[in-house]
Amino acid sequence: MANVTFKEKPVTLAGNQLGEGDQAPDFTVLANDLSEVKLSDSNGKVRLISVVPSIDTGVCEQQTRRFNEEAAKLDNVEILTISADLPFAQRRWCAAEGIENIQVLSDHRDLDFGKKFGLVIEELRLLSRAIFVVDSNDKVTYVEYVSEVTNHVDYEAALEAARNAQ
């Protein structure tokens, strides 16, 4: 298990953490229109999954904007940003910020994604910051569980892993 802190205080992550080479479990999250989205909906593509605690915070905003900008430069890579925010808040934020190149999805309903990827911060009912690259065969090829939730992910390493995944 990754040792994770939030504002330098240890937190407990619920669920099964994944490593490189693991099969990515299918999950169900909600789109901003409340329709269900599953990992299996994008079979055959490389998926970069960017996980943020809340879209309305500085580091989360920067992470989401960065991957939105990078999305156009990646072939056959779908970028998903997942948080436990309500879909309505995500839709409002995306519209205000011009986020159009990635899917921003909510795990608020039942934390299915967070539990299956070992990201639920039990003390806060939020998702811990992380990045996953899942190849077209649903194998995890890159994982980063950020040790301090308020810190940035390694953008370059995640993007390179997405470019190299098939």
Side-chain angles (χ1 to χ4, degrees), residues 4-21:
V4 174
T5 58
F6 181 76
K7 296 184 179 178
E8 300 181 11
K9 293 185 175 138
V11 293
T12 307
L13 297 186
N16 299 316
Q17 293 185 353
L18 302 177
E20 291 177 15

Side-chain angles (χ1 to χ4, degrees), residues 26-39 41 55 80-91 94 102-114 125 127:
D26 203 10
F27 58 82
T28 303
V29 291
L30 297 176
N32 297 160
D33 64 1
L34 300 180
S35 63
E36 290 186 347
V37 175
K38 298 176 182 288
L39 179 67
D41 293 341
I55 203 80
L80 312 174
T81 291
I82 302 176
S83 74
D85 292 305
L86 290 172
F88 313 110
Q90 291 177 336
R91 180 176 56 219
C94 288
I102 62 175
Q103 287 190 71
V104 178
L105 304 164
S106 174
D107 199 26
H108 175 76
R109 182 173 65 185
D110 55 13
L111 299 170
D112 184 54
F113 167 78
R125 199 181 186 281
L127 300 180

Side-chain angles (χ1 to χ4, degrees), residues 114-135:
K115 291 172 186 172
K116 290 178 177 174
F117 282 66
L119 291 164
V120 178
I121 301 173
E122 289 184 352
E123 296 85 350
L124 302 172
R125 199 181 186 281
L126 296 172
L127 300 180
S128 187
R129 187 175 317 281
I131 296 286
F132 301 89
V133 175
V134 178
D135 72 13

